[in-house]
Amino acid sequence: MSQASKQQEKTFTGKVGFVLASVGAAIGLGAIWKFPYMAGAEGGAAFLLPYIIFSFTLAFGLLLTEITLGKAGKGGIVTAYRNLGGPFWSVLGYLGIIIGFVVLSFYSVVGGWCLLYFFEAIIGFPSADPETLGALFGSLSSSPWVAISAQVGFLALVGFVVAFGIRGGIELCSKILMPMLFIFMIILIITGLMQPGAMKGVEYLFLPDFSKFSWKTLLDSMGLVFFSFSVGAGCMITYGSYLSKSENLEKNAILVPIMDTSVALLAALATIPATFAAGMEPAAG
């Protein structure tokens, strides 16, 4: 392989690959799991509005900054800080690596749970009763051998993908899995909205009741934006270093909050109306 070909393999193939990989990094527990819960617990639309505002102001600005640092610094958080600011800043860059390790430690446990649920879905859940499903989760997560084995399995999958590099691993998987995620969510939304009483959940999510708005709602929405968009840990700095020189940073950066917020809304639509249809509290989704 020529030197030029090797260099190309170290960059994304284009805007689509970068955006899908970046969205894959941003979309996770924050958008799919925590956003529906917090929106349900903190007033629906009263939480949704500040979340959207922070996504397209605060999050967009930080995303653009990190991507720019990565592209200009030609490396991950430590390398970029060293190249742009000197040795002192490279020391601070290691804080981002520590944060990434802590996040991975948490995500890998939840990822292991997802693998367990995937296996249970294949063999068939014993019942759709919430108490039965809760007991199933308790038995799976409380067994050290089962939980640790699932976590190791998840980490092995992550290592397998990363081993194939940017184009053959991260970008390829993002191009396949991200569209699948949208398709599965749409199926869940349609199924949930067909249930009697589900439209009350749609009204709760989109019709603002400002009596439920508070400073806590504002701070919680801001905190979730930081968590959901993976800003501050250096992930987007690393992704920015793999962008080609011809890519428009602003156009790439703005697509991330658009897609991340879209997924958060889809996740909320897949859960909150269903909880209303089941006669459960909105925060129980």
Side-chain angles (χ1 to χ4, degrees), residues 97-150:
I97 295 178
I98 295 174
I99 293 172
F101 175 78
V102 173
V103 172
L104 177 62
S105 301
F106 168 59
Y107 264 56
S108 60
V109 174
V110 180
W113 293 347
C114 292
L115 290 181
L116 292 174
Y117 268 92
F118 180 69
F119 175 74
E120 291 291 335
I122 292 176
I123 64 176
F125 286 108
S127 171
D129 177 66
E131 292 186 4
T132 303
L133 292 176
L136 173 64
F137 172 74
S139 64
L140 292 175
S141 60
S142 62
S143 172
W145 292 109
V146 173
I148 292 175
S149 298

Side-chain angles (χ1 to χ4, degrees), residues 115-280:
L115 290 181
L116 292 174
Y117 268 92
F118 180 69
F119 175 74
E120 291 291 335
I122 292 176
I123 64 176
F125 286 108
S127 171
D129 177 66
E131 292 186 4
T132 303
L133 292 176
L136 173 64
F137 172 74
S139 64
L140 292 175
S141 60
S142 62
S143 172
W145 292 109
V146 173
I148 292 175
S149 298
Q151 182 181 13
V152 171
F154 175 80
L155 289 172
L157 284 176
V158 172
F160 179 78
V161 172
V162 173
F164 284 91
I166 290 294
R167 293 191 177 186
I170 296 174
E171 182 178 344
L172 178 61
C173 286
S174 298
K175 286 182 175 179
I176 296 173
L177 297 180
M178 292 309 299
M180 288 178 62
L181 175 63
F182 278 94
I183 292 172
F184 288 147
M185 280 190 164
I186 291 172
I187 293 173
L188 287 173
I189 290 170
I190 294 173
T191 304
L193 292 178
M194 292 174 63
Q195 308 305 314
M199 293 310 297
K200 292 182 179 179
V202 178
E203 295 175 2
Y204 180 82
L205 183 60
F206 292 109
L207 294 181
D209 180 0
F210 290 107
S211 65
K212 297 180 180 179
F213 181 82
S214 65
W215 284 110
K216 181 179 183 299
T217 304
L218 192 67
L219 291 174
D220 286 347
S221 62
M222 184 188 300
L224 182 58
V225 163
F226 274 95
F227 177 74
S228 180
F229 282 84
S230 299
V231 291
C235 178
M236 293 303 171
I237 293 179
T238 303
Y239 275 12
S241 68
Y242 290 105
L243 274 175
S244 64
K245 295 181 179 179
S246 61
E247 289 295 328
N248 186 297
L249 300 186
E250 292 84 356
K251 290 182 178 180
N252 281 302
I254 194 61
L255 289 174
V256 177
I258 289 175
M259 296 188 69
D260 184 89
T261 305
S262 299
V263 169
L265 287 173
L266 290 176
L269 280 172
T271 53
I272 292 179
T275 59
F276 275 82
M280 303 166 66

